[in-house]
Each structure stands twice: as C-alpha cells, then as structure tokens.
Amino acid sequence: MDFLGSFSYAVPLAGAALAVFLAGFGSSIGVGLAGQAAGGVLSEDPDKFGALLILVALPGTQGIYGFLGGFLVINKLGLLGGHPAHLTMLQAWQVFFAALPVGFAGWISGIHQGKVCAAGVAMTAKRPETMMKGVIYGAMVETYAILGLLATILLLNGIKLS
Amino acid sequence: MGIEAVKKIRIIAHHSVEKNLIDYLQSLGSMHLTRVASETPERELLPTEIDKRLEEGLQRLRLVIQFLTPYEEKAKGLSAIFGNRIIIPPEDYENFDKEEELNGVIEQAQSLEQQIHQAEAMLSNLENEVAFLRPWSQLDEPPDTLDSFYRVKVMTGVLPAEDLDAILSQIGGETPLAHVDVLHATKREAYVCALVHKSAENALVDLLQKNGFEAVKLEGTLPPSEQIREKEAQMETLRETLSGYHETARRVAERLQELRVLFDIWEERLKKSRVRQQFGATERTVLIEGWVPERIIGKLRREIDNKFQLISLDEIEPDEDESPPILLKNKTLVRPFELITELYGMPHAKEFDPTPFFAPFFAIFFGLCLTDAGYGLVLLVLSVWMVRKYKILLKGSKLIWILMIGGIFTILMGGITGGWFGDMVDRLPSALNGIKDFKNAIMLFDPMKQSMIFFAIALALGFIQICFGLIIKVARDFRDGEFLDALFDPIAWLVLLNGAVLFGLSGAGILPPAFRAIGKWALIAAAAAIVFFSDREKKNPILRVVSGIYTLYGATSYLGDVLSYLRLLALGLATGVIAVVVNIIAFMVAGIPYVGWLGAVIILLGGHAFNIAINALGAFVHTTRLQYVEFFPKFFEGGGKAFKPFKREGKYTLVYEAEKG
C-alpha cells in the first residue's frame, strides 16, 4: 500500500476512535453522576440497590452506542478478517464524518442523562414507586443518542466502498 | 375488557359486629373504602390506649428486627431477591399463639443489644487508654511514686520532636541539675521524662515551656507497662464476653422469622383499628362506605346476610364531584401490560383502558428491540423457570409475564432476522448444517445487510400505531356523540397523514401513479379542514384561520413521532452487533493454545448475559416510552385514581392459602 493509501485509513479510524471515546466520556460522566447519587441513598437504605441499579445503568448505553459506531466503521473498512476496502481520500473523510454523530450526541446526552437519572435517584429515595417515571425521563434524553447512532448507521450505509 | 364497573355501597351495621365486619372486609380484599361524609356525626376516635401500646410495641419490634438482622444467616442468590417474603398459611397467621413467648424474645434481644453496646463502649475506652499509655511503657516506675521524692521533681510530657537535640543540649547547658530521658519518639513528638533538683525546677519549667513542652499527667500505682498488660487482659475478657453476646444474638436471630410475622400481625391490628376513623357512626350503628366491583355485589350481600345480624347493605349514588376509582380488568394475555398503564397513571372513568390497545404493539416492539431468537429463548426460559420456582411470590407480578411474552416475540423477531446469539449459527461446525438451514429457512431479511428494510418496518409500525391511536380517539368521540370533534380533529389528521403517505409513496414509485392524485387531494382537503374548522369556537374568522394554521403546524410533531420509532431499528441493530462482537472476541480468544476454550466460554457466557441484561432494559424502557410519548397523547387523558382495596398487606409475610386437592 502506498503512503497515501495507508494514510487514508488513519482518517476513518480517527472517526471510529472519536465515536467510541466521546460517547464513552458521556456515559462515564453520566453513570458517575447517577452512581454518586445512588451511593448516597444506599448508605441510608441498602434495600434500594436493585431499583437504583437501573437508574445508574441507564446513562451507560451511550458508551455502547459509541462502541457500536466504532465497530461499524471498522466493519465497513473490512478490517475484521475481511479484505480491507480500497479507500480514496474522499471516502476516508466521508466515513470520518459519518462516525461523528454518535460520538458527539452520545457525549453530551450521556452527561445530561446522568443528571436526569441522578434526579430520578433522589426521587426514588423519597418515593420508591416513582422509579419507573425517573427511568422514562432518562430515556427522553437518550432519544438523541439513539438518533445520533441512527444517523451514523444510515450515513455509513450510504457510503459505497469497493 | 378494559375498566371494571364499580358501584358505591354503604353498609350500616350495629356496633357489636363492627370488628368482625372489618375482618371480613379485609379477607374479601375487594372494597375500596372511602371516608364517610362529615354530615354524619363524627365519632370520637382518638387513638386508644391499646393503639398507643401497639405503636410502641411496633417501634420496639422494628428496632429489634433491625438489630438482629445482621446476625441472621443470609439467603443466597435469587432467593435473596424473591425469597425474603415469609409464606404462611392463613390458619397459622390468624392463630399465631407465640405472642407471649416472643415478647420475652423481644426483651431478651433489647437487653442483649444494650449489653453489646456497653461492652463495645468499654472496649473502646480501654483501647484509648492503652493507646495513651503505650508511649510511656519504657517508664519503669509507677507514676504515683514519681511525685513522692523529697529533693527531686519528676515531670512527664511531650516535646516537639523537630528540634529535640537542640532543646536537650540547651537544657544540659543551662540547668546542670536536670536530666531529661527520651522514652519514646515519633516523627512529630518526643515523650520525655525530666528529673530536676527542686532548686532548679522553675528554671527548667520555663525553659521547657518556651520550647513547647506539654505536661502529661500519668497516674496509677503500677508502671505503665504493667497497666497496659492489665488493661489488655481486661480487653481480652471483654472480647470473649462480646463474642458470647454475638453468639447469643445469633441464636436469638433464629427467631427472626417469627418476629417478622408478629410485626405484620401487630401492624395489621393497628391498621384495622385506624381504618375505623374513616367510618361514620351513630349512637348504635356504624356506617361504612366504599366502592366494590359490581359483579361481586350479589355475593357480598349474600355473605354479609349469612355471617352477620343487624346489618344492611345498600347501593348508593356517589357524590357529585366524586368519580369512581379505576380497576383495570383484562384478559389473561393482556393483563400483564396493565403494569405499563399503572405506571403512567390510571385512565379516568369516562375513557377506554388503553392496555389492550397497546399490548400487541408493546410485545412486537420489545421483540424488535432485541431481535435475537437466542436471547428471546433465554428470557423465556428464565421467566418460566422463575414463575415456577417462585410461584406464590410472583403470583401478582406482571413484570415477569411481560418478560415472558416479550421473550416469545423476541424469538419471532429474531427468527425472521436470523439472529441466534448474534451470528453463532454461522459459526457452528459444518456437521450442524441442519441448524443453519433451519435458520435460513425462517429468515426473511438480514438487518445488517438490508437495514433499509428494517428502517421501513420501524417507520411503518410507527405510522400504524399513530393512526391506530387516532382511530381510538374517533371511536371515543363517536361514543360520546361528538361527531364534529371527531371529524375535524382525528379524522382530518388521519386523512392528512394517509394522504401524505400515498402521495409520497406513489411519487417514489412504490405505488402506482394513480394514488398520487388521490393522496394530493386528500392532503389538501384535510389541511383545509384543519385550517378552517379546527378552532370552531372562535367567532373572528381571521383569528380562527390563524389558530387553524398553527394547529396544522402540528403536522411536524406527527413527523417527529413517526421518526421516533426508528429507535426500534437502532436498538435492534445494537443488540445484534454487540452479540456479533462478543462472538468475534470469543473465537479470537479460542485460538490461544490450551486455555483458549475456557476463555472463550467465559467471554461467551459473560458477554451474552451482559448484552441481554442491558438491551432487555433498553427494550423495556424505550418500548414503554413509545407508548407514553408517541401513542398515548393521541387519545388518552388519564388522571383517574386507582382502586385500592382494603386488604391484607404484610411487610414481611404473604398469607397464602395452599390450593386444595
């Protein structure tokens, strides 16, 4: 592979990396926020562990979506056991940009979902029966991470590689 | 189907049967009690002496249970989650005769707790004392004798360790009649004993104080090291006593289950006494009002007449501003989904129960979010196993049934998309080609390669559900006789949405071009209807049209609603891709010589378990959200209050009558 050809792989791989780690940032901050809130509640009432676990785990999905986006990019490039696709520089950048929606949407929405879930934790602490309502509010934020993932999937689908 | 009809009744009974009547109503478990209106003479129902004693007893018992719980042997695994309720037959519960005995146990536990507290406090005191004495253990003399010298003054205390050498040499230089021993030194402090001839005492004290000396007063007729030994011996005895106490506590904790039953019995007694505050009363009679399902009124009347004398039961009209509590009643397969409705809030008395309308969608959506037949099997097997194992405890649990039905639909959706633990089937050795053939035979499309098909399915399902919601609204308006409302709101929107779809699909060449014109005119007619007639109350035609245009702008929200169903695609793909990733990693690890297979098995089990857990949660949450946010607003108002029957609800116990025969 010539110099330009191997360089062209760096671009989409940077996109895959961004998708994974930006969404991972979001989820780790989000889960962190919810987890801290839950830890405080558990010190008073350890029986709520199961109910709070769901609220704490909820902002974790962005990281998974980001990972998924990264995987789809790698799969698209044929780097997993297949025959690596031949890329032009233009295609390399196309794949790069296709990877961004899930990364950025996951990053910011992960943080905010964490805040909503932390509020849900506080709500569940006072009124355990409202737990599912907190979960649904958290899912409202997650919509935008899902849309980001969807955009990445559709964009990748639209890029034709030989 | 839908909402159970309930009637308000009033029971008037003589005081003498009140207690038995309450017991009966509780065991019936089907009456939603209401407070009797205040026109009837309120009776004096201050908490009685007995109530107060019960409350105190409960408080004591709560503390005792709290204290004993750590000493109890822990249940393991799933039993720890589901098995902690005590299942007890009603005869045993109602004839519980260990109250006297358990009162003794409560007292024993309380005094035990106090003894443990005392012993622990003493122990920690002794620990502090030993820690205080420890640095002085080099001192060979009993502290009390240090004060008794005739010419020599002895001082003990702490000097800062930092410039100890400088201080010592200064003392040596300035006060020759003094001698300072360093008994023990840490990084920050030096524990010293200073001897000085009484003539030089003041000089030394000045010098020491200038250098930050802090006197420490030691006491005792034994040297510190002896004192430490003595105290350590005491601590040893105390520890033994404590472990004896802990042993006793463990033995007492064996009675915990009985104590918990007693707790529930007392609480129920208190509840039964307090419920009387809602009743009305006259000099000789008591008035009980509440709601019961209409279908049991006949049975209730018969039973009451048989069991009690001096009693009457009447159906009464509810107060004007009073709406009946809502009791959902659905067929077996739909009933589990009532959980979703209950979480949102009950429908009000004049509308349909949404449960049967969304239940099929829920099951399909849940399946689509997972789209893996293997995962569906796991959910199905797991939920069936749990229902069998915890038959009694999970009796009322709707969630487990949702998981079971969701599992079945996941198998269906996984079957048509060819997902069996990701791409596991394709990785099987060729000897098992039969399985592969089976998979391919029922597979309709591959969502990874043909994601546009999945895309279309998600949008189509969304469109269908939203139209369905509007149709329910039409039905409700027709039932209520509001035909104009039906025509200019849900029907207009139905025509508009379907017209737009026809127009778009024939434009894209999927439908024949003839539909293009139909779609176009339907679209225009519906839009006109909405613009001119959606706000019929307004007299001013300009304001009316402006308001209509704004309503028409709501079409964007329909677009957003339909697009929101694309989450089914994203979640479905996510599950499948992660499953494939787990397989790839596991088969990579399997290549490692000797231990590879073990690693692969661990990764497969852990990875797929994780994927099922996280995506089943996601599937449940997002499917629920689609009902709440996209489907319900089309026709559902909510705001009813739930029917809460007066029944037995133990904190720890489940009184359960074993099925006969």
Side-chain angles (χ1 to χ4, degrees):
Chain A
M1 214 179 278
D2 59 303
F3 169 74
L4 207 65
S6 52
F7 181 72
S8 70
Y9 269 95
V11 174
L13 287 183
L18 277 174
V20 176
F21 80 69
L22 285 181
F25 275 177
S27 268
S28 41
I29 297 172
V31 174
L33 287 169
Q36 283 171 10
V41 174
L42 288 195
S43 67
E44 289 279 318
D45 185 1
D47 292 343
K48 292 215 170 79
F49 177 74
L52 295 185
L53 184 67
I54 292 177
L55 280 165
V56 174
L58 208 56
T61 34
Q62 275 85 347
I64 297 174
Y65 298 153
F67 172 75
L68 195 64
F71 175 84
L72 289 172
V73 168
I74 296 168
N75 196 35
K76 184 86 190 172
L77 300 177
L79 295 181
L80 282 168
H83 306 284
H86 185 75
L87 282 183
T88 66
M89 212 53 200
L90 181 65
Q91 287 169 329
W93 282 106
Q94 285 173 339
V95 176
F96 175 84
F97 282 111
L100 294 187
V102 68
F104 278 97
W107 176 26
I108 306 291
S109 75
I111 296 171
H112 286 278
Q113 193 173 357
K115 289 179 183 165
V116 174
C117 286
V121 165
M123 193 166 78
T124 309
K126 284 193 187 135
R127 305 180 59 183
E129 73 279 4
T130 60
M131 193 273 281
M132 268 315 283
K133 296 185 175 147
V135 169
I136 297 294
Y137 277 163
M140 301 295 244
V141 186
E142 190 166 313
T143 301
Y144 304 99
I146 294 180
L147 292 180
L149 173 63
L150 205 62
T152 294
I153 291 175
L154 295 176
L155 288 172
L156 282 176
N157 218 27
I159 301 170
K160 296 281 173 278
L161 299 185
S162 54
Chain B
M1 186 185 88
I3 300 171
E4 170 100 62
V6 290
K7 280 265 183 270
K8 195 166 189 190
I9 58 165
R10 174 188 287 151
I11 301 174
I12 302 175
H14 190 257
H15 275 315
S16 61
V17 301
E18 184 181 5
K19 197 177 165 306
N20 289 337
L21 185 61
I22 293 174
D23 286 348
Y24 168 73
L25 288 176
Q26 192 198 37
S27 68
L28 181 75
S30 314
M31 184 161 173
H32 176 109
L33 297 172
T34 52
R35 184 171 285 280
V36 171
S38 54
E39 304 137 44
T40 50
E42 293 249 359
R43 71 164 134 182
E44 293 274 311
L45 260 182
L46 299 167
T48 61
E49 203 49 41
I50 299 173
D51 282 5
K52 275 188 202 149
R53 271 221 303 283
L54 243 139
E55 247 166 82
E56 281 164 19
L58 270 169
Q59 182 55 21
R60 236 187 8 243
L61 189 47
R62 185 175 293 126
L63 292 175
V64 163
I65 291 174
Q66 218 171 55
F67 158 68
L68 287 176
T69 305
Y71 293 102
E72 194 184 28
E73 269 186 48
K74 291 272 180 302
K76 288 191 187 68
L78 275 178
S79 299
I81 305 173
F82 299 107
N84 50 5
R85 287 284 214 104
I86 306 161
I87 299 168
I88 180 169
E91 314 83 85
D92 292 6
Y93 185 81
E94 270 143 29
N95 307 323
F96 193 77
D97 55 359
K98 296 188 182 138
E99 217 170 314
E100 288 292 309
E101 194 188 335
L102 287 179
N103 270 327
V105 174
I106 293 171
E107 258 163 49
Q108 190 190 0
Q110 278 187 312
S111 70
L112 198 59
E113 190 181 8
Q114 210 167 21
Q115 282 169 321
I116 289 178
H117 274 315
Q118 269 171 6
E120 274 169 353
M122 276 161 73
L123 198 62
S124 98
N125 271 350
L126 282 172
E127 268 164 12
N128 288 342
E129 284 169 22
V130 167
F132 171 76
L133 284 171
R134 187 79 64 194
W136 304 104
S137 54
Q138 296 284 324
L139 195 67
D140 296 331
E141 294 297 322
D144 285 357
T145 60
L146 295 179
D147 272 342
S148 57
F149 300 124
Y150 182 62
R151 291 182 201 284
V152 176
K153 167 79 180 170
V154 182
M155 288 180 284
T156 49
V158 180
L159 275 173
E162 233 177 333
D163 31 34
L164 184 66
D165 288 335
I167 301 170
L168 288 183
S169 63
Q170 195 187 2
I171 292 170
E174 289 183 20
T175 50
L177 290 176
H179 170 77
V180 177
D181 265 337
V182 180
L183 299 173
H184 179 76
T186 66
K187 264 193 190 129
R188 300 179 53 214
E189 291 167 321
Y191 296 79
V192 298
C193 175
L195 301 127
V196 61
H197 190 270
K198 284 195 173 159
S199 63
E201 186 183 339
N202 289 340
L204 182 68
V205 168
D206 284 350
L207 194 58
L208 283 174
Q209 269 171 358
K210 227 176 283 167
N211 285 296
F213 178 78
E214 270 179 62
V216 174
K217 179 86 179 121
L218 295 173
E219 282 171 344
T221 54
L222 288 172
S225 57
E226 293 280 323
Q227 286 187 32
I228 291 175
R229 215 165 298 138
E230 206 177 57
K231 287 186 200 297
E232 278 177 344
Q234 282 174 11
M235 278 159 66
E236 197 46 45
T237 343
L238 260 176
R239 284 204 188 94
E240 271 164 37
T241 324
L242 255 176
S243 80
Y245 288 155
H246 289 311
E247 193 48 49
T248 321
R250 263 190 287 280
R251 237 175 325 103
V252 178
E254 284 166 15
R255 308 295 302 267
L256 252 179
Q257 294 298 68
E258 292 160 81
L259 289 173
R260 289 184 178 129
V261 175
L262 183 68
F263 184 89
D264 277 0
I265 290 176
W266 282 357
E267 203 166 51
E268 183 179 313
R269 215 175 279 167
L270 191 63
K271 192 172 141 197
K272 276 181 182 168
S273 167
R274 284 197 177 141
V275 77
R276 298 166 64 221
Q277 292 172 11
Q278 298 189 16
F279 300 166
T282 61
E283 206 174 316
R284 303 210 179 202
T285 64
V286 53
L287 258 81
I288 302 176
E289 287 181 5
W291 298 84
V292 292
E294 193 173 5
R295 70 190 153 80
I296 71 158
I297 287 185
K299 174 187 147 212
L300 184 65
R301 199 188 293 278
R302 259 188 325 256
E303 284 190 1
I304 277 187
D305 284 343
N306 284 341
K307 278 180 204 277
F308 306 102
Q309 285 165 345
L310 307 169
I311 197 162
S312 86
L313 186 155
D314 298 297
E315 279 178 42
I316 56 171
E317 283 298 310
D319 301 339
E320 259 167 44
D321 55 345
E322 197 181 13
S323 63
I326 304 299
L327 180 61
L328 301 180
K329 180 172 184 282
N330 286 293
K331 298 240 161 59
T332 320
L333 277 179
V334 173
R335 193 173 309 136
F337 297 99
E338 287 172 2
L339 174 71
I340 310 295
T341 311
E342 283 158 11
L343 280 171
Y344 186 85
M346 289 294 184
H348 66 68
K350 292 202 176 76
E351 63 182 347
F352 302 129
D353 171 15
T355 314
F357 300 128
F358 72 72
F361 287 104
F362 193 100
I364 294 171
F365 293 171
F366 186 90
L368 276 179
C369 288
L370 286 174
T371 47
D372 190 298
Y375 290 0
L377 269 175
V378 171
L379 282 181
L380 182 64
V381 169
L382 210 65
S383 51
V384 169
W385 175 77
M386 291 221 297
V387 166
R388 290 180 70 93
K389 184 157 164 71
Y390 300 104
K391 203 173 169 184
I392 302 170
L393 290 169
L394 289 177
K395 204 161 191 285
S397 166
K398 290 168 178 164
L399 183 61
I400 197 85
W401 287 93
I402 292 185
L403 282 182
M404 202 184 292
I405 297 170
I408 294 170
F409 274 81
T410 307
I411 297 175
L412 293 178
M413 298 303 154
I416 61 173
T417 55
W420 296 83
F421 295 106
D423 56 351
M424 190 54 98
V425 171
D426 295 332
R427 293 169 181 274
L428 292 174
S430 51
L432 297 169
N433 265 343
I435 301 180
K436 208 182 287 182
D437 293 340
F438 169 73
K439 183 206 91 172
N440 290 332
I442 56 171
M443 181 169 157
L444 294 182
F445 69 99
D446 181 350
M448 279 304 285
K449 296 206 179 75
Q450 300 154 287
S451 39
M452 289 325 281
I453 296 183
F454 205 153
F455 189 89
I457 292 178
L459 285 184
L461 280 171
F463 183 76
I464 293 170
Q465 195 183 24
I466 283 170
C467 286
F468 186 53
L470 289 171
I471 291 170
I472 300 170
K473 178 84 168 101
V474 173
R476 205 188 134 200
D477 284 344
F478 269 61
R479 188 197 64 178
D480 297 345
E482 288 165 0
F483 301 108
L484 282 183
D485 280 357
L487 185 62
F488 292 118
D489 186 12
I491 292 178
W493 281 110
L494 275 170
V495 173
L496 184 116
L497 294 176
N498 284 288
V501 167
L502 286 183
F503 185 74
L505 286 184
S506 63
I510 298 169
L511 288 176
F515 286 99
R516 198 176 161 84
I518 304 176
K520 191 168 86 181
W521 288 111
L523 196 63
I524 290 170
I530 289 170
V531 168
F532 292 113
F533 297 106
S534 66
D535 201 353
R536 294 183 303 284
E537 255 101 90
K538 281 210 175 65
K539 290 274 180 287
N540 183 333
I542 295 169
L543 281 182
R544 184 159 143 177
V545 168
V546 168
S547 160
I549 290 173
Y550 182 74
T551 310
L552 186 64
Y553 179 70
T556 53
S557 80
Y558 282 94
L559 183 68
D561 286 349
V562 174
L563 288 180
S564 179
Y565 287 79
L566 284 177
R567 74 185 65 231
L568 298 174
L569 162 67
L571 292 171
L573 282 186
T575 317
V577 171
I578 292 169
V580 172
V581 172
V582 169
N583 290 344
I584 290 176
I585 296 173
F587 279 85
M588 241 185 236
V589 170
I592 301 170
Y594 306 115
V595 292
W597 63 273
L598 182 67
V601 168
I602 294 174
I603 289 171
L604 283 178
L605 288 179
H608 285 301
F610 167 78
N611 196 19
I612 293 177
I614 198 86
N615 279 301
L617 171 66
F620 185 84
V621 167
H622 286 284
T623 307
T624 307
R625 175 222 138 101
L626 283 179
Q627 314 309 324
Y628 288 179
V629 184
E630 273 76 30
F631 187 49
F632 281 3
K634 303 291 171 292
F635 68 98
F636 184 60
E637 284 160 29
K641 64 176 193 292
F643 183 91
K644 288 203 181 104
F646 176 57
K647 64 177 184 194
R648 183 169 273 157
E649 277 168 310
K651 184 173 178 199
Y652 299 109
T653 58
L654 191 71
V655 179
Y656 181 75
E657 188 154 15
E659 272 144 52
K660 293 183 178 85

